[in-house]
Amino acid sequence: MKALQARQWQSVCTRADLVANAGICALVGDQQVAIFYLPRLSPSLYAIANWDPIGRANVLYRGLVTDIGGGPSVASPLYKQHFSLVTGVCLEDDSVAVPVFEIALDGDTVVIGG
Amino acid sequence: MATQRSRQKILVIGNGMVGHHYVDQLLQRQLDVEITVLGAEPRPAYDRVHLSDFFAGKKPEDLALTTREFYAQHGVKAHFGDGVARIDRDAKTVTTEAGLHYSYDKLVLATGSYPFVPPIPGGERDNCLTYRTIDDLGAIKAQAAKSRIGVVVGGGLLGLECANALKNLGLEAHVVEFAPGLMGVQLDDGGSRMLRRKIEALGVFVHTGKATREIVDGQGTRLRMNFADDTHLDTDMIVFSAGIRPYDQLARDCGLEVGARGGVVVDYHCRTSDSDIYAIGECASFGNFIYGLVAPGYRMAETAVSQLGEDKSAFHGADMSTKLKLLGVDVGSIGDAHGRAAGALSYVYCDERDEIYKRINVSADGKTLLGAVLVGDCAAYDTLLQYFLNGIELPEAPESLILPSIEGGAPQLGPAALPLAATLCSCHNVSKGAVIEAIDGGCCSLGEVKSATRASTGCGGCSALLKSVVDYELEARGVSVDRSLCVHFAYTRQELFHLCKVEQIKTFDQLLDKHGKGLGCEICKPAAASILASLWNDYVLETPHVGLQDTNDTFLANMQKDGTYSIVPRIAGGEITPEKLVVLGQVGLKYNLYTKITGGQRIDLFGARVDQLPAIWKELVAAGFETGHAYGKALRTVKSCVGSSWCRYGVQDSVAMAIHIENRYKGLRSPHKLKSAVSGCTRECAEAQSKDFGVIATDRGWNLYVCGNGGMKPRHADLFATDLDDETLIRYIDRFLMFYVATADRLQRTSVWLDNLEGGIDYLRQVVIDDSLGICDELEARMAAVVGSYQCEWKTTIESPERLKRFRQFVNAPDARDETIVFVEERGQIRPANDEERRELIAVHQVA
């Protein structure tokens, strides 16, 4: 489920807050967003909703990053279902997906597409 | 009056091992029968084979094969301590010594045998005993307590067992044998001589070719044995173990056919000359032979049981091959040990320096193995037994089967050569066919086959053979079991461990670049993190490692179903001061946490949000607590029972040792979690036998047990070494743990690791105790490095503001909370709200 073309960009944190090969979490309005920084890839930044729809908790930013299934994905820390960081689709059950957000680096600031 | 169809009455006389096996097998068939058991001994069936364990501290209950309760629960009428005096075959009743009458439809004689005492004048004295029943042992022990010298008359299997028992009771032990050599039935002259040589080296005196003429008063000792050759032997006590005779008097008295050498004659259905009476075990004579081993007795019992049902089986005799350890000496005997068959040719290998003797007897055409004798080295036993039992054609040069390794090595009996009926594991009666069935049923590793069939889980002697069959069959099915860690690394964990060690690889990126591909995944990242931690012991949330950690390790706490965490401070050995208990209580109250005591003898605090973890740990660390590693594949706890400090029964200070062990190994990262316990005496209140490594106190030190576990498939730990002093105990644990860390598979518990270790516990002992791989110095050094670099990772975390940043829920809103974390009250504490409760609470919240 891809987000619509962004019209607004929200600053959430600085480059220094990013953790290589792991996730952090930012609050964008009421939305919890899981942000992943994968320096081996290009693009290196990915953002999906933090809520795990299967495990039912706000924890996806804490999961392990993998490349199972081709592109980058995160394994939920609860029950290890994989969510694509590109499309948000669950690799174990494609009827389940999480929202994906646009993300970019504006100088030293990380911004999320509104 | 209509006649009620009454159930068939089965009466079993004798409740020894074979008699009980009959009842046990009959119960499993669930036939419509009424079973009655009459036993002359005062107690139900017990393991007579391991009688000498009684002297190693076991109690009668430990040897028991069944109980009165078991029989009662299964509707079996059992009457003990009252032998049968008389059988009335016409009336189909029996009468006991005490005068009780029992009627039967079918009668089973399982009366067993009694020890033969040669009629020697003076042999009826009360310091001349026999070795057969538990009651005999009580008498032997009592007599031994006031003796310095003990003699066993009889140099066979039981006699040597008994000599070992006397030796363990602290006596100067002698064996007197009438024949020219020891174990004349199972061993040839050469084997017998080698056995004697080895036994004498152990301090047991052996006298062969001695016929005892009389037993008289001794001078300086209680007794003197005068032999026919005019020599004599002074001793304080004598135990007769000179053979067994069947208890067949009942049969003789009621006119049943009896063999020339005694024993109730039976046919291949184990039926006597009376079609309603069966005889099984040592009281029976089949083909003019009395089977003096328990396994044939069991087969006879099974045959007799089958006669009552539809599917009748037959007994065609049993193989008397045997492999055992006598006084620590490996002895094996197969088939015709003496090469008596006409035309038999033999090959003999005798090494007097290493004290090894091996002989094989082959048919005149050299193609068939007729028998074998092994003393001091039974490695060839399994292979030779397969050749013998299955009539497999011997190799061109059969001597290669017993000669030591030479150029090209000894020919292995290929797994393909074994027929389906070949018994691979004799302890559990597992055939090659059963192993193949398990593989076809889905097993694809040695460990899985062992689980499914129980093969190699008894004495373990067949493990090499089993592995060769399993490997062969898997390959033949095109199953190439890919043991790569995952798609990113074409190596096993053991191989990666070795690479990291040898190449000094310190980060996952280095490992990925050198030996992997892609990004990695939730399989290889935590595995790599564990390997790196075991080797280099860095702070686990160091920048290069933070993205590798699994769910719990990554926040040094245990994630619960709602995304909150539980906190477990270390409470080494389960010992805690009242002051520290108060601190935990106060922290629980202050942060409104749910508290619970764990199975590991410590306290768990639940309901902490990720952003609360630093504050909570600051308080815990300030009060002197350390992380408990409940979140890691690491040492968890070392439980203890209170031991000699307080307990009436404790023989060592188990609490001090548990605390010492826990503090030594805390922080060690391993392939899977490690749990341990130390018990202060044999009552074992700390449950050490269900641990990866467990310690039980003896009055001489510590017994070490390894590779047990609880959980979904509990496994009892194996006794590894006994009576160790403190220093040796720790040394062995150091080596054991580091060997496990270096060689196990990912997420492989010690029990599964042992199951898959070729050579099993014996191999493990060789590596750890005998240093057979020459790696013990390295293992100890690596453990010392881990111990020396220990840091409490929570202490390290709270001392660094940079590292604490990790524990924010929101990078851009440190004071905001995750609104979805909602608790309700239960039994005076919090718990996570379920979906319904959550909806109600949010609805209420919105209205408000």
Side-chain angles (χ1 to χ4, degrees):
Chain A
M1 195 171 97
K2 248 189 122 76
L4 295 168
Q5 189 65 30
R7 258 165 287 184
Q8 289 182 355
W9 292 93
Q10 186 107 1
S11 316
V12 289
C13 65
T14 66
R15 191 196 283 260
D17 290 314
L18 296 171
V19 180
N21 304 310
I24 56 173
C25 182
L27 200 54
V28 181
D30 278 340
Q31 176 69 51
Q32 298 194 24
V33 179
I35 297 165
F36 300 88
Y37 173 46
L38 310 178
R40 282 181 179 248
L41 297 182
S42 180
S44 59
L45 283 174
Y46 299 83
I48 59 172
N50 193 31
W51 175 259
D52 174 352
I54 298 174
R56 306 185 62 70
N58 274 310
V59 294
L60 287 180
Y61 82 93
R62 303 180 195 163
L64 280 161
V65 174
T66 89
D67 61 4
I68 302 289
S73 57
V74 63
S76 167
L78 282 167
Y79 306 113
K80 301 291 166 67
Q81 287 89 5
H82 299 81
F83 295 91
S84 164
L85 293 179
V86 176
T87 65
V89 173
C90 173
L91 299 182
E92 283 80 14
D93 179 357
D94 59 17
S95 70
V96 175
V98 298
V100 174
F101 300 92
E102 287 196 80
I103 181 168
L105 210 50
D106 184 5
D108 203 36
T109 312
V110 177
V111 291
I112 301 281
Chain B
M1 181 183 82
T3 39
Q4 223 177 356
R5 198 182 86 87
S6 52
R7 298 192 299 169
Q8 215 183 26
K9 290 204 191 114
I10 313 294
L11 183 60
V12 184
I13 303 181
N15 194 237
M17 297 178 75
V18 173
H20 169 66
H21 190 70
Y22 176 89
V23 173
D24 188 57
Q25 293 293 303
L26 184 53
L27 286 172
Q28 286 185 35
R29 290 258 182 151
Q30 295 183 325
L31 300 170
D32 193 23
V33 293
E34 194 185 286
I35 309 172
T36 306
V37 166
L38 301 175
E41 281 190 65
R43 53 179 64 83
Y46 56 89
D47 183 356
R48 217 183 290 278
V49 174
H50 291 100
L51 212 50
S52 59
D53 283 358
F54 189 71
F55 295 116
K58 292 225 153 143
K59 303 263 169 342
E61 308 85 77
D62 298 323
L63 293 174
L65 293 173
T66 188
T67 59
R68 286 179 172 79
E69 290 73 37
F70 174 84
Y71 282 151
Q73 274 161 22
H74 289 82
V76 173
K77 289 210 261 291
H79 179 58
F80 298 102
D82 187 12
V84 170
R86 183 168 71 254
I87 300 172
D88 182 338
R89 287 166 52 197
D90 297 322
K92 294 176 80 165
T93 63
V94 311
T95 310
T96 71
E97 307 275 1
L100 299 171
H101 298 286
Y102 294 86
S103 60
Y104 65 85
D105 291 313
K106 300 286 180 196
L107 181 65
V108 179
L109 299 174
T111 48
S113 55
Y114 59 92
F116 168 65
V117 179
I120 301 168
E124 60 291 329
R125 288 157 184 258
D126 61 12
N127 35 25
C128 297
L129 308 165
T130 53
Y131 177 75
R132 182 87 189 142
T133 68
I134 283 184
D135 293 326
D136 286 343
L137 298 193
I140 291 174
K141 215 171 172 179
Q143 201 61 231
K146 41 187 183 156
S147 301
R148 189 176 62 83
I149 306 174
V151 165
V152 177
V153 174
L157 258 168
L158 283 180
L160 293 175
E161 274 268 306
C162 186
N164 192 29
L166 291 183
K167 187 163 157 288
N168 286 338
L169 286 169
L171 270 58
E172 180 187 296
H174 294 251
V175 174
V176 167
E177 167 59 48
F178 174 81
L182 299 172
M183 284 189 71
V185 171
Q186 289 90 356
L187 304 181
D188 68 331
D189 291 343
S192 193
R193 269 198 303 275
M194 185 58 79
L195 177 64
R196 179 194 190 130
R197 187 189 167 112
K198 292 174 85 81
I199 287 176
E200 284 177 329
L202 292 167
V204 174
F205 296 89
V206 178
H207 313 267
T208 52
K210 298 288 181 188
T212 312
R213 213 174 0 105
E214 60 175 2
I215 296 167
V216 299
D217 286 335
Q219 291 144 13
T221 60
R222 255 180 240 118
L223 304 168
R224 169 169 288 202
M225 299 169 74
N226 288 323
F227 300 119
D229 62 1
D230 288 337
T231 58
H232 66 263
L233 182 59
D234 291 324
T235 180
D236 297 311
M237 63 180 284
I238 297 173
V239 183
F240 287 101
S241 187
I244 54 172
R245 295 289 183 272
Y247 269 125
D248 59 11
Q249 198 56 46
L250 282 175
R252 289 176 195 272
D253 291 343
C254 69
L256 290 173
E257 195 189 328
V258 162
R261 292 188 285 184
V264 188
V265 171
V266 295
D267 63 11
Y268 50 85
H269 291 307
C270 292
R271 231 179 357 216
T272 67
S273 50
D274 181 326
S275 59
D276 289 324
I277 303 181
Y278 297 87
I280 55 179
E282 280 170 359
C283 70
S285 170
F286 177 82
N288 208 24
F289 190 82
I290 297 177
Y291 289 85
L293 294 180
V294 73
Y298 282 176
R299 302 291 91 79
M300 291 173 86
E302 288 149 22
T303 303
V305 165
S306 76
Q307 305 310 311
L308 299 176
E310 302 278 304
D311 210 0
K312 300 187 198 320
S313 63
F315 178 76
H316 294 290
D319 174 52
M320 295 293 282
S321 303
T322 179
K323 176 176 77 161
L324 57 155
K325 239 189 190 5
L326 276 175
L327 280 144
V329 179
D330 287 313
V331 175
S333 172
I334 295 175
D336 172 18
H338 298 84
R340 292 198 176 114
L345 301 168
S346 57
Y347 298 80
V348 175
Y349 173 76
C350 180
D351 176 346
E352 286 187 347
R353 190 189 62 183
D354 291 341
E355 292 183 333
I356 292 170
Y357 178 91
K358 297 192 248 185
R359 172 182 178 157
I360 50 173
N361 301 315
V362 312
S363 56
D365 63 5
K367 292 198 175 151
T368 317
L369 184 70
L370 302 175
V373 173
L374 302 164
V375 177
D377 175 2
C378 282
Y381 181 84
D382 289 338
T383 303
L384 292 173
L385 187 64
Q386 293 303 324
Y387 274 109
F388 174 72
L389 290 177
N390 302 296
I392 301 169
E393 190 170 313
L394 289 167
E396 244 329 287
E399 65 271 21
S400 54
L401 292 167
I402 55 171
L403 291 176
S405 294
I406 31 174
E407 278 286 337
Q412 294 299 329
L413 181 60
L418 294 171
L420 286 177
T423 303
L424 301 182
C425 169
S426 45
C427 292
H428 291 101
N429 215 14
V430 182
S431 65
K432 177 177 161 182
V435 167
I436 288 180
E437 218 179 280
I439 292 173
D440 286 339
C443 293
C444 42
S445 77
L446 182 62
E448 284 174 31
V449 169
K450 278 185 183 178
S451 273
T453 64
R454 317 267 334 109
S456 226
T457 59
C459 71
C462 59
S463 65
L465 182 61
L466 182 69
K467 181 173 195 302
S468 75
V469 171
V470 169
D471 284 347
Y472 178 86
E473 294 297 331
L474 284 177
E475 221 180 281
R477 280 157 182 67
V479 175
S480 60
V481 183
D482 182 5
R483 294 182 57 228
S484 303
L485 193 66
C486 66
V487 300
H488 303 99
F489 292 96
Y491 299 95
T492 62
R493 181 190 169 278
Q494 178 172 351
E495 286 162 346
L496 283 175
F497 186 94
H498 183 75
L499 285 169
C500 287
K501 178 182 75 156
V502 160
E503 296 177 13
Q504 300 273 303
I505 293 173
K506 305 274 172 94
T507 70
F508 183 71
D509 274 349
Q510 281 169 17
L511 185 61
L512 203 55
D513 287 337
K514 285 187 125 184
H515 301 291
K517 56 184 202 271
L519 279 185
C521 65
E522 75 275 14
I523 291 173
C524 56
K525 285 184 178 182
S530 166
I531 289 172
L532 296 173
S534 300
L535 284 172
W536 317 119
N537 216 14
D538 285 344
Y539 172 65
V540 295
L541 299 183
E542 208 68 78
T543 307
H545 308 318
V546 75
L548 308 177
Q549 305 299 340
D550 208 346
T551 303
N552 294 338
D553 303 67
T554 198
F555 286 97
L556 309 181
N558 291 53
M559 182 187 280
Q560 305 303 312
K561 64 201 268 196
D562 61 350
T564 62
Y565 288 90
S566 84
I567 293 167
V568 187
R570 189 166 290 286
I571 297 180
E575 180 185 87
I576 186 168
T577 62
E579 291 86 346
K580 282 219 161 94
L581 271 175
V582 167
V583 169
L584 293 179
Q586 284 168 342
V587 167
L589 285 171
K590 178 171 173 180
Y591 294 91
N592 194 22
L593 304 170
Y594 169 83
T595 55
K596 190 175 187 305
I597 294 178
T598 72
Q601 297 181 344
R602 51 196 191 175
I603 294 168
D604 206 343
L605 306 145
F606 291 78
R609 296 189 313 270
V610 70
D611 48 277
Q612 292 178 303
L613 293 174
I616 294 170
W617 272 105
K618 268 203 178 88
E619 296 204 31
L620 292 173
V621 168
F625 285 103
E626 286 185 329
T627 178
H629 297 99
Y631 44 79
K633 299 293 180 272
L635 180 83
R636 297 290 176 83
T637 60
V638 181
K639 293 168 52 167
S640 73
C641 64
V642 83
S644 58
S645 320
W646 290 90
C647 179
R648 280 186 286 155
Y649 305 115
V651 290
Q652 303 288 356
D653 189 351
S654 46
V655 180
M657 180 53 80
I659 292 172
H660 176 62
I661 291 178
E662 190 161 339
N663 282 327
R664 180 174 180 78
Y665 302 113
K666 65 190 178 190
L668 173 70
R669 264 18 197 238
S670 48
H672 212 314
K673 60 190 166 189
L674 288 166
K675 296 187 173 185
S676 179
V678 181
S679 283
C681 81
T682 61
R683 285 164 191 75
E684 240 283 74
C685 297
E687 299 168 331
Q689 288 171 95
S690 61
K691 301 296 181 224
D692 295 284
F693 62 102
V695 182
I696 301 180
T698 69
D699 52 16
R700 286 181 284 202
W702 309 97
N703 284 356
L704 176 60
Y705 290 77
V706 296
C707 300
N709 65 257
M712 274 201 290
K713 288 182 87 178
R715 186 192 188 275
H716 229 224
D718 289 320
L719 179 59
F720 187 72
T722 56
D723 295 327
L724 304 174
D725 60 35
D726 290 5
E727 206 190 294
T728 312
L729 174 69
I730 298 297
R731 190 175 325 125
Y732 286 175
I733 297 174
D734 274 9
R735 296 173 179 180
F736 165 76
L737 288 177
M738 268 309 171
F739 187 51
Y740 164 65
V741 165
T743 61
D745 262 335
R746 170 186 166 264
L747 295 182
Q748 191 176 55
R749 289 300 297 269
T750 51
S751 56
V752 181
W753 171 66
L754 182 65
D755 275 348
N756 281 293
L757 210 53
E758 201 188 320
I761 191 98
D762 285 333
Y763 172 69
L764 192 55
R765 281 197 197 97
Q766 284 160 21
V767 174
V768 170
I769 299 177
D770 304 328
D771 200 6
S772 60
L773 296 179
I775 58 174
C776 287
D777 282 342
E778 192 201 313
L779 296 175
E780 287 179 39
R782 196 146 350 102
M783 181 61 85
V786 165
V787 171
S789 56
Y790 172 78
Q791 51 178 316
C792 164
E793 45 216 21
W794 264 113
K795 183 164 187 291
T796 306
T797 304
I798 61 176
E799 282 169 356
S800 157
E802 206 39 53
R803 290 172 174 150
L804 285 175
K805 280 191 184 155
R806 173 149 185 76
F807 296 86
R808 299 173 292 192
Q809 175 77 8
F810 308 116
V811 292
N812 59 345
D815 296 325
R817 281 190 191 193
D818 181 355
E819 306 269 301
T820 61
I821 294 173
V822 179
F823 299 113
V824 294
E825 195 204 283
E826 185 167 77
R827 294 187 299 277
Q829 301 201 66
I830 59 162
R831 71 152 165 82
N834 58 37
D835 283 342
E836 205 186 292
E837 288 161 340
R838 203 184 285 199
R839 273 194 293 274
E840 279 175 19
L841 282 164
I842 291 173
V844 165
H845 177 82
Q846 281 170 347
V847 165

